[in-house]
Amino acid sequence: MRILVVEDEKPLADALTEILKQNHYYVDAVYHGSQGLEYARSGIYDLILLDIMLPGIDGLSILKTLRKEHITTPVIILTAKSEVSDIITGLDAGSDDYLAKPFSTGELLARIRALSRRNAAYNEEVLSCGNLSFNKSTMELCCGSDSLKLGLKESQLMELLLNNAGRIMPKNLLIEKIWGLDSDAEYNNIEVYISFLRQKLAFLGAGTQIRTIRGVGYQLEGRNND
Ligand code: CA
């Protein structure tokens, strides 16, 4: 696994590099924003640790640019504890996690392991939750002996919900991941697709349900119907 560290505080960048190497990761560290963007764009990294305050281009702009270019490498934002707004903006801009400085080595390594596990799930062909399963290549949703083929947007939405089963997925995050950051997809657009999926889940008799979390988004809840 190859990790890119973008951090302008050289002692911190070097310490991170050292720790990660000791834990058998391949590491590249850069200290400047524009260099960070250039390296990240190469697409060779499995994970990026990204500081926010950087010379040249700031971390959030780097992140937005990457996501706009459909570079989906998991990103952990590194930020000072006081900058809570940065964390929210970072998550909105497409970061997968954040670490507030100062953080412990143990915490850093745990977050990296968690993200790489989550990423491994992205590579699975068949996703499941409760008695429901979904085949990503055939776009077939199955429950028991019944199955239905989903449309493209329904498939993307189902896949996101299944990859994050049990977690509350904010509406704007789902919209950005499916329709892109620049999209002007209206909120009611996603509601239409959610309702299509709910009809299909009901048709299949699946115990798995999509819950609406009022004012926030949706959560996939798995049950086995028994
Ligand atoms: Ca900095």
Side-chain angles (χ1 to χ4, degrees), residues 7-9 51-55 101:
E7 169 63 70
D8 63 323
E9 284 168 57
D51 183 29
I52 291 187
M53 299 288 282
L54 288 166
K101 295 183 206 173

Side-chain angles (χ1 to χ4, degrees), residues 59-69 89 92-94 181:
L60 289 175
S61 303
I62 293 177
L63 181 58
K64 280 185 199 156
T65 305
L66 293 176
R67 295 304 185 242
K68 210 181 228 173
E69 293 174 1
T89 318
D92 281 345
L181 289 175

Side-chain angles (χ1 to χ4, degrees), residues 43-142:
I44 62 166
Y45 296 99
D46 303 295
L47 180 78
I48 301 168
L49 299 180
L50 185 62
D51 183 29
I52 291 187
M53 299 288 282
L54 288 166
I57 309 169
D58 69 278
L60 289 175
S61 303
I62 293 177
L63 181 58
K64 280 185 199 156
T65 305
L66 293 176
R67 295 304 185 242
K68 210 181 228 173
E69 293 174 1
H70 306 291
I71 297 167
T72 56
T73 313
V75 170
I76 300 181
I77 287 277
L78 306 175
T79 183
K81 220 164 212 142
S82 53
E83 298 165 320
V84 181
S85 60
D86 285 348
I87 296 168
I88 297 167
T89 318
L91 291 170
D92 281 345
S95 91
D96 300 271
D97 205 350
Y98 64 87
L99 269 172
K101 295 183 206 173
F103 45 82
S104 71
T105 305
E107 193 181 3
L108 169 71
L109 295 172
R111 298 289 182 88
I112 292 175
R113 281 195 300 271
L115 264 187
S116 45
R117 269 198 303 274
R118 225 162 84 194
N119 224 27
Y122 285 128
N123 300 323
E124 278 167 27
E125 179 94 342
V126 177
L127 302 170
S128 59
C129 177
N131 58 358
L132 185 77
S133 66
F134 175 63
N135 186 312
K136 279 158 54 174
S137 46
T138 62
M139 301 199 288
E140 264 180 326
L141 195 61
C142 304

